[in-house]
Amino acid sequence: MIKGKEKENLSESAYRQIKDALCEGKIAAGDILSESRLAAELGMSRTPVREALHALASEGWMEIRRGIGAYVKPLSSKDMEDLYEVRCLLETFAIKTSVFNITNEEIDSLEVRFRACLDSYRTGMPPDPKGFSGLDWELHELIVERCQNTYLKTILRSNYSSMKQYQFLSFEALNDIKESTLQHLNILALMRSRDVDGLTETLQNHLNWASSLLKTHR
């Protein structure tokens, strides 16, 4: 029983680490992943890695090619557009209730960190893509998690990994720290004033802007 549980935990660890690498662009579309190489990098045997790869393949991230390895599927422009369209509809709906459940202290914390990003940019030392993307995601996740619609949260949670991947790529596409930060600070200011109409419109424009970066980049 103990060995079985250990095996399960290793598979989950491999799954999480490989998926994180996909979302952060460390593993790119078109890459061929070797079980033995991944096992060595993750410090585990090939069995949990194989199970993780098959789980990711079942979710559409890759396909297993016998005798070759796991092929990472290219991102579809249509999938990206469809996902951003749904995300925009649901997130702008979520903000209408979540804005009243987000505290001023949480807004303060995010605002301080976004302003620190802007200060770093202005001094010629912009934050790393992973750190900035993580901060960006934290704000958008807060918007979703504080809304009062359980079904909406379930739908968005089921697509979080793909959203993170596209979000990271949209940042990489233009690497426009200044514009992105200013947009987020504007969103936070509207949150603080509980301006639902202005916030909904601004959030929609922000998500459309992020989506346009990907379209231009592809």
Side-chain angles (χ1 to χ4, degrees), residues 31-33 53-54 56-66 68-74:
D31 284 354
I32 301 291
L33 305 181
L53 292 176
H54 279 279
L56 289 164
S58 71
E59 294 177 4
W61 290 88
M62 57 190 65
E63 60 184 52
I64 307 300
R65 296 183 173 179
R66 183 168 298 183
I68 298 176
Y71 171 72
V72 181
K73 292 182 178 180

Side-chain angles (χ1 to χ4, degrees), residues 81-111:
E81 291 173 12
D82 289 349
L83 183 60
Y84 260 91
E85 183 177 1
V86 171
R87 178 185 177 183
C88 187
L89 287 170
L90 295 181
E91 203 168 313
T92 52
F93 185 84
I95 196 65
K96 294 177 182 180
T97 56
S98 64
V99 66
F100 299 107
N101 298 317
I102 297 172
T103 68
N104 284 334
E105 289 74 18
E106 288 170 320
I107 295 171
D108 289 342
S109 175
L110 287 164
E111 189 175 71

Side-chain angles (χ1 to χ4, degrees), residues 84 112 149 197:
Y84 260 91
V112 166
N149 190 308
D197 291 337

Side-chain angles (χ1 to χ4, degrees), residues 38-165:
L38 283 171
E41 291 178 358
L42 297 175
M44 59 182 68
S45 70
R46 292 176 60 178
T47 300
V49 171
R50 183 181 304 117
E51 292 172 351
L53 292 176
H54 279 279
L56 289 164
S58 71
E59 294 177 4
W61 290 88
M62 57 190 65
E63 60 184 52
I64 307 300
R65 296 183 173 179
R66 183 168 298 183
I68 298 176
Y71 171 72
V72 181
K73 292 182 178 180
L75 295 171
S76 163
S77 296
K78 181 64 165 59
D79 287 344
M80 180 274 292
E81 291 173 12
D82 289 349
L83 183 60
Y84 260 91
E85 183 177 1
V86 171
R87 178 185 177 183
C88 187
L89 287 170
L90 295 181
E91 203 168 313
T92 52
F93 185 84
I95 196 65
K96 294 177 182 180
T97 56
S98 64
V99 66
F100 299 107
N101 298 317
I102 297 172
T103 68
N104 284 334
E105 289 74 18
E106 288 170 320
I107 295 171
D108 289 342
S109 175
L110 287 164
E111 189 175 71
V112 166
R113 291 152 70 195
F114 273 111
R115 289 197 182 281
C117 289
L118 191 60
D119 291 341
S120 295
Y121 169 82
R122 287 170 173 165
T123 58
M125 298 178 63
D128 68 283
K130 181 178 179 181
F132 186 82
S133 184
L135 178 58
D136 184 337
W137 180 257
E138 188 176 333
L139 171 55
H140 289 279
E141 187 176 27
L142 184 64
I143 290 171
V144 173
E145 294 302 321
R146 293 300 175 83
C147 85
Q148 296 177 344
N149 190 308
T150 302
Y151 292 100
L152 183 152
K153 286 190 278 192
T154 300
I155 293 169
L156 284 171
R157 284 171 184 164
S158 68
N159 289 287
Y160 270 176
S161 295
S162 295
M163 288 178 187
K164 284 184 178 181
Q165 186 182 31

